[in-house]
Amino acid sequence: METVIVLLTRDLRVHDHPALAEACARARSVVPLFVQDPAIRARGRQRFLNEALQDLRASLRERGGDLVVRRGDPVEETMRLAAELGAEAVFTSADVSAYARRRERRLAEACAAHRLLLRLFPGVTVVPPGALQPTGGDHYRVFTPYWRAWSGAARRPVLPAPDAVSLAPGVEPGELPPPGPPHGMLPGGETAGRGRLEHWLAHGLAGYAEGHDDLPRERTSMLSPYLRFGCVSPSEVAARAEGRHGGDAFVRQICWRDFYYQVALAFPDLPRRDYRERQVDWNDDGEAAQAWREGRTGLPIVDAGMRQLAAEGWMHNRARLITGSYLTRRLKVHWRIGGEHFADLLLDADIPDNWGNWQWVAGTGNDTRPNRVLNPVRQAKKFDPDGEYVRRYVPELAGLPVEAVHEPWKLARPLPGYPAPLVALDNG
Ligand SMILES: Cc1cc2nc3c(=O)[nH]c(=O)nc-3n(C[C@H](O)[C@H](O)[C@H](O)COP(=O)(O)OP(=O)(O)OC[C@H]3O[C@@H](n4cnc5c(N)ncnc54)[C@H](O)[C@@H]3O)c2cc1C
């Protein structure tokens, strides 16, 4: 083929990129295209996304190519560029959200109308969503049987980055947003993601099984934002972790990600509707939700998690479970309200993972024990035994003895500057 457009969306890397690798193998000139779509709100992720695009452009330029950037509707912009260049085909990575699927359908119609070949490639998950089906069902509703099937499934090979990308002559590359000011948050992009992966494999993975719930010490990979934007490939992460000490427990979590992708594919309403209906008298008290968002519920472990999220665009998984369970089970605020706030702020917020987990926490999702309610104080004592995590994010409590850090309402006198608990905790 002469010219192929590779439409990139949330697969911002050159390593192990099946669509890009195939285009480079088949076509004389390859046009990697990213369309900034005003319909997608990147919210707290804009800075990370901009850095990922800058990094990808640099990697493609090193290989003789470029990242072509446009703004507008991705289907219209792809068609416009294809017409300008006389491209014969569009390659892109298949994705699962309702929006991504609609975009794929529209792209298929437009390509058919313009006699362009459209090919969809894997790469967003390890095992393609929908590839594994239980007998008598279209997707797995329970994790453990999925994990079993997933562990035995055939895998595609992990691909190297292309040596050279030859761009069609005369393409206007388009401008990227300038890099923002320095910041202390996770830097976006494939280079940073690969660096983190290397460091994690060498220094973190072996302690994962014991350490993943350690709240103050953050002994998890922090690869999720890189997986979210495809800066690292989930297949490569899984392949490189497998067989190493700590690898099993870690790869199981990567499988949870694939699990929610196949749930989201089968149930596109995941962000909007109960996956498993549950009668709850949701509390529409806006003030309780607002106190939760701002980290002033009076429950230190919850406030610490929420303040970590606001400051870093990040929250430890254990804190996500505690804050999510508290919002939906204790305050009885609807899971959609919690999920929207996470979607606003989390660097890794992703439709299948965010909404799948929120529904799990609220008991409307894939939990086989939907009545499970976490006791936040017990969780705090277990996973933050010295109160270090709470002290870091709730400085009002920093000078107190550990018992008071976890249960300040037991102090003889109320603490100035820290709220009384929004709801009393029973022992459940
Ligand atoms: C209420 C709630 C909302 C969440 N929202 C998101 C979200 O929007 N995006 C997101 O990526 N994760 C989400 N998670 C899952 C989990 O908290 C994060 O994936 C994890 O904290 C990321 O940190 P890590 O990369 O250090 O994880 P590690 O422990 O190092 O795990 C490695 C990878 O496995 C995957 N993974 C781990 N746990 C889960 C899980 N429970 N479900 C699905 N995949 C998982 C992630 O891709 C992660 O990067 C949510 C969890 C809860 C309870």
Side-chain angles (χ1 to χ4, degrees):
M1 275 186 275
E2 191 59 38
T3 304
V4 172
I5 293 178
V6 180
L7 176 62
L8 299 153
T9 54
R10 36 80 53 86
D11 45 355
L12 305 178
R13 63 175 182 269
V14 294
H15 291 85
D16 193 40
H17 193 300
L20 179 66
E22 181 74 359
C24 291
R26 298 266 160 170
R28 207 187 294 271
S29 98
V30 173
V31 186
L33 169 67
F34 182 83
V35 182
Q36 295 174 301
D37 179 351
I40 297 180
R41 288 185 304 141
R43 310 195 236 194
R45 291 170 291 286
Q46 191 65 52
R47 190 262 315 153
F48 192 96
L49 171 62
N50 292 348
E51 289 171 355
L53 292 169
Q54 299 278 1
D55 184 65
L56 182 59
R57 172 168 270 179
S59 299
L60 288 164
R61 285 184 175 171
E62 269 168 33
R63 291 167 169 80
D66 207 335
L67 178 66
V68 176
V69 183
R70 296 289 183 266
R71 189 173 173 79
D73 174 70
V75 175
E76 286 170 19
E77 292 304 318
T78 306
M79 289 303 127
R80 196 193 315 275
L81 189 63
E84 260 169 52
L85 302 175
E88 290 137 278
V90 177
F91 290 2
T92 196
S93 303
D95 200 356
V96 299
S97 72
Y99 187 81
R101 301 263 292 162
R102 212 174 313 124
R103 183 177 59 213
E104 275 168 25
R105 277 195 298 274
R106 291 180 48 233
L107 194 59
E109 284 163 15
C111 283
H114 292 86
R115 296 173 185 278
L116 285 172
L117 170 71
L118 172 67
R119 280 185 64 189
L120 298 179
F121 287 82
V124 166
T125 52
V126 180
V127 171
L132 303 175
Q133 290 178 347
T135 31
D138 64 345
H139 73 292
Y140 282 87
R141 292 167 175 275
V142 176
F143 177 73
T144 310
Y146 181 74
W147 164 238
R148 242 179 271 126
W150 187 92
S151 303
R155 301 267 184 91
R156 63 173 182 81
V158 173
L159 303 166
D163 293 330
V165 181
S166 41
L167 190 68
V171 189
E172 167 55 44
E175 274 190 33
L176 282 176
H183 54 81
M185 304 216 279
L186 290 174
E190 183 176 18
T191 306
R194 293 186 74 76
R196 182 161 287 276
L197 173 63
E198 295 305 334
H199 188 268
W200 170 249
L201 293 172
H203 305 289
L205 181 65
Y208 185 75
E210 306 77 52
H212 70 276
D213 268 329
D214 183 344
L215 267 170
R217 271 174 289 279
E218 303 265 10
R219 293 166 64 191
T220 64
S221 70
M222 288 186 154
L223 282 169
S224 54
Y226 302 97
L227 289 163
R228 157 69 182 82
F229 285 100
C231 302
V232 293
S233 140
S235 301
E236 181 175 357
V237 172
R240 295 192 54 195
E242 264 158 354
R244 298 200 190 204
H245 189 55
D248 275 2
F250 176 70
V251 171
R252 194 179 155 90
Q253 294 312 113
I254 304 285
C255 178
W256 267 106
R257 181 174 178 277
D258 275 19
F259 174 75
Y260 284 129
Y261 271 68
Q262 54 101 49
V263 169
L265 180 68
F267 188 72
D269 263 351
L270 192 65
R272 285 167 289 276
R273 248 183 345 113
D274 284 1
Y275 176 83
R276 187 188 348 222
E277 244 175 87
R278 190 180 165 92
Q279 289 310 319
V280 180
D281 282 333
W282 295 111
N283 170 9
D284 54 12
D285 167 6
E287 279 184 29
Q290 193 52 21
W292 176 83
R293 286 189 198 98
E294 291 173 7
R296 37 177 199 84
T297 66
L299 196 69
I301 192 73
V302 171
D303 293 345
M306 298 309 296
R307 294 185 196 186
Q308 179 180 27
L309 175 64
E312 299 172 10
W314 173 264
M315 200 197 292
H316 191 287
N317 177 62
R318 181 51 53 183
R320 297 186 200 200
L321 290 166
I322 297 170
T323 54
S325 174
Y326 176 79
L327 184 77
T328 54
R329 306 304 185 108
R330 308 272 173 172
L331 299 181
K332 298 242 180 290
V333 172
H334 200 285
W335 53 264
R336 270 197 303 266
I337 291 178
E340 273 302 321
H341 183 65
F342 274 30
D344 274 340
L345 296 187
L346 276 176
L347 286 177
D348 64 21
D350 194 5
I351 286 174
D353 295 303
N354 190 41
W355 297 106
N357 274 290
W358 268 99
Q359 294 227 31
W360 190 95
V361 160
T364 59
N366 301 89
D367 193 355
T368 47
R369 284 171 48 207
N371 294 323
R372 165 182 359 226
V373 178
L374 299 182
N375 179 315
V377 172
R378 237 184 274 152
Q379 292 272 312
K381 289 179 179 169
K382 186 162 176 199
F383 300 113
D384 184 28
D386 302 322
E388 207 181 320
Y389 178 76
V390 169
R391 287 180 226 268
R392 189 180 309 150
Y393 295 104
V394 189
E396 302 95 289
L397 306 177
L400 298 178
V402 65
E403 304 77 42
V405 165
H406 289 317
E407 299 174 280
W409 55 86
K410 289 193 174 163
L411 288 169
R413 256 181 278 145
L415 200 65
Y418 189 68
L422 270 183
V423 288
L425 289 179
D426 50 36
N427 290 324

